[in-house]
Amino acid sequence: LIIFSLCLGLIFLSGFFHMKDKNYSISKSPEELLIPPTPCHAKTNVMFLKTHKTASSTVLNIMFRFAERYNLTVALPADQLLHLGYPRTFLAHFVEDFEAIGQNYNIMCNHLRFNPSEVQKVMAANTFYFSILRNPIPLLESSYIYYKNNVPAFRSSKDVNEYLASPTRYYHPEDYRQNIYARNIMWFDFGYDNNAEDNTKYTQAILEEIEQNFHLILIADYFDESMILLKHALCWDLDDVIYFKLNSRSQDTVQTLTPESEERIKTWCALDWKLYLHFNQSFWRRIEETIGLEMLEKEVGHLRARQKELMETCLLEQEAVGKDHIKNKALLPFQSGAANILGYNLKQDLDSRTLRTCQRMVMPELQYTSYLYAVQHPHKKRKQLGLPLLWTSLQE
């Protein structure tokens, strides 16, 4: 009994000094120090609404790696599709094997147009729903470059500033299916009419509905802060939210918006602008209520240090490189429009375990979707990418 009491005392003391090392506030009373932190359990049922041109490919990679780490089931696109029926409004049967698997998927994160009742058929009742938004000003410029060849409104204008000088000259509502990227794309991704009138009563009702449907909305413009907030909300580890930036483009393909164009975007994409302003506010409010700005800054520092460490371990050039400089074609990201989508080269002398970790970190979205599909549905025909897969069989 004496030995047991001594052990208990030592454990308490070591815990106390460990807490002091972690910069716990000195102002805490002795009573507070005795209360252990509330344990939380990692959430493994998670739905991420992947919006367009919002750093969402990087988030998808985080979700896929988490699914692999914990052997979770991902709701993947059926047949040869690489998205969940987009731009059609989502239906449960767009998910591979939905009829057989039913409501037993853990993770859902490929592109879809949100439809809560159908998503709920696929995901468990305790699923955590989150999404990400981006400032509509850089978002529209990014969309313009990325979808230049596919969107009639963009194709027929010389550059982004010419388009914005008179959008109605190029944007015809009858082409709305092809033109969705040219106006209020985030509003559309959330399942709403991107050509709807900007009416205060209507927009307020939609913002409230989104708040009801989603537990968390992240902001791409504060990506590292978003990852820390996500880590806390899901009770994940730091390594679960470490990332290398994916699907970004080279600076030489960025067009400079005039101040007039920037102002016009706020009017032309008024629904997206209101969406962004509303959730940017709630994002910072959530941080202050849960983590606090001081702790946030510390954790962002840890995230960046760990990211740098992994880049030094994994990457040949310590940064993303242009499409023509990617040596392994299995790691070439999908190229679109006038954008030069960057990718990575891995170091050659990595041991097999490190190599696998590094490959997962840099694997582009389409390849990763295709790979997970082959793992989860080994008897189905593989998704045809026209690119080699990194791992051709489960044994490798």
Side-chain angles (χ1 to χ4, degrees):
L1 195 65
I2 294 165
I3 292 165
F4 177 71
S5 301
L6 272 169
C7 288
L8 212 61
L10 283 169
I11 289 163
F12 172 74
L13 276 172
S14 67
F16 179 69
F17 287 117
H18 177 66
M19 288 206 294
K20 280 181 78 172
D21 287 345
K22 289 230 173 173
N23 297 318
Y24 273 67
S25 168
I26 294 161
S27 62
K28 283 195 176 181
S29 67
E31 291 79 18
E32 280 182 287
L33 286 171
L34 289 170
I35 301 165
T38 313
C40 66
H41 301 285
K43 290 182 170 65
T44 52
N45 291 333
V46 185
M47 191 275 167
F48 169 57
L49 175 62
K50 187 178 190 296
T51 46
H52 284 80
K53 312 314 300 161
T54 57
S56 61
S57 295
T58 304
V59 181
L60 176 122
N61 179 274
I62 286 168
M63 301 301 293
F64 279 173
R65 282 187 285 121
F66 186 83
E68 279 203 271
R69 181 179 172 184
Y70 293 100
N71 198 23
L72 304 174
T73 310
V74 183
L76 292 165
D79 304 319
Q80 290 301 303
L81 285 180
L82 290 153
H83 49 71
L84 292 160
Y86 194 89
R88 287 178 292 166
T89 301
F90 176 76
L91 296 171
H93 72 258
F94 294 162
V95 173
E96 187 63 74
D97 270 358
F98 168 69
E99 284 76 11
I101 296 170
Q103 208 181 21
N104 291 311
Y105 295 91
N106 304 110
I107 302 287
M108 183 184 233
C109 56
N110 288 83
H111 273 308
L112 59 82
R113 189 172 184 215
F114 195 60
N115 183 5
S117 59
E118 288 290 309
V119 171
Q120 282 158 16
K121 290 179 186 176
V122 177
M123 301 303 290
N126 68 346
T127 295
F128 184 93
Y129 287 78
F130 80 102
S131 189
I132 190 165
L133 300 173
R134 183 184 179 189
N135 185 324
I137 296 170
L139 172 67
L140 192 116
E141 185 276 332
S142 176
S143 288
Y144 187 92
I145 301 300
Y146 196 83
Y147 298 110
K148 177 76 172 148
N149 304 337
N150 308 92
V151 173
F154 292 161
R155 210 169 36 224
S156 52
S157 54
K158 182 168 70 56
D159 59 35
V160 70
N161 290 305
E162 184 182 272
Y163 170 67
L164 287 164
S166 179
T168 50
R169 188 176 149 202
Y170 306 103
Y171 184 97
H172 305 298
E174 63 270 18
D175 294 330
Y176 84 98
R177 275 277 188 235
Q178 292 116 306
N179 273 336
I180 49 176
Y181 304 105
R183 188 183 196 191
N184 295 312
I185 179 61
M186 296 188 291
W187 200 262
F188 182 87
D189 287 349
F190 274 86
Y192 304 107
D193 177 8
N194 61 320
N195 290 307
E197 202 182 318
D198 174 22
N199 166 306
T200 307
K201 195 178 168 191
Y202 164 71
T203 50
Q204 199 50 46
I206 299 302
L207 294 174
E208 284 171 19
E209 194 168 283
I210 293 170
E211 280 184 338
Q212 292 294 312
N213 287 331
F214 289 85
H215 298 95
L216 181 64
I217 304 287
L218 303 176
I219 301 292
D221 312 74
Y222 305 101
F223 195 79
D224 288 351
E225 292 83 354
S226 288
M227 291 306 98
I228 298 303
L229 190 54
L230 183 68
K231 175 179 90 77
H232 279 265
L234 295 176
C235 195
W236 287 7
D237 296 336
L238 184 67
D239 267 16
D240 293 328
V241 296
I242 291 290
Y243 67 92
F244 295 161
K245 204 173 177 182
L246 296 179
N247 211 35
S248 61
R249 62 193 161 122
S250 59
Q251 273 305 114
D252 60 354
T253 63
V254 176
Q255 290 185 8
T256 307
L257 291 162
T258 64
E260 294 78 19
S261 290
E262 292 192 355
E263 287 306 311
R264 284 180 189 129
I265 290 171
K266 295 177 191 177
T267 312
W268 175 242
C269 297
L271 301 172
D272 270 5
W273 184 245
K274 285 192 172 173
L275 184 67
Y276 175 75
L277 290 181
H278 179 86
F279 285 104
N280 185 37
Q281 273 191 330
S282 66
F283 172 79
W284 289 105
R285 197 164 56 241
R286 178 80 165 259
I287 280 171
E288 282 174 12
E289 287 167 3
T290 56
I291 308 168
L293 292 174
E294 201 179 328
M295 183 56 80
L296 175 76
E297 200 180 326
K298 269 184 201 156
E299 292 206 36
V300 164
H302 295 320
L303 178 97
R304 287 174 182 164
R306 180 72 179 121
Q307 183 186 51
K308 188 170 181 283
E309 192 184 311
L310 273 168
M311 288 182 113
E312 284 166 3
T313 302
C314 295
L315 304 180
L316 199 57
E317 292 93 348
Q318 305 299 296
E319 61 179 8
V321 298
K323 59 185 178 187
D324 300 331
H325 299 282
I326 297 165
K327 296 180 173 126
N328 181 352
K329 292 307 167 204
L331 293 176
L332 181 72
F334 176 71
Q335 302 294 319
S336 177
N340 175 2
I341 306 299
L342 307 176
Y344 295 94
N345 287 316
L346 297 177
K347 287 183 175 174
Q348 295 300 300
D349 55 349
L350 302 170
D351 64 79
S352 59
R353 192 179 167 188
T354 308
L355 176 65
R356 188 63 68 95
T357 300
C358 295
Q359 283 177 330
R360 285 191 175 99
M361 294 284 298
V362 303
M363 203 187 302
E365 178 179 332
L366 302 189
Q367 286 93 313
Y368 214 151
T369 299
S370 182
Y371 163 68
L372 284 184
Y373 185 87
V375 172
Q376 274 190 199
H377 308 286
H379 306 301
K380 304 264 181 182
K381 187 188 173 195
R382 283 212 164 152
K383 292 189 188 289
Q384 304 303 302
L385 294 181
L387 283 167
L389 271 179
L390 283 174
W391 308 309
T392 49
S393 76
L394 297 181
Q395 285 71 45
E396 274 184 55

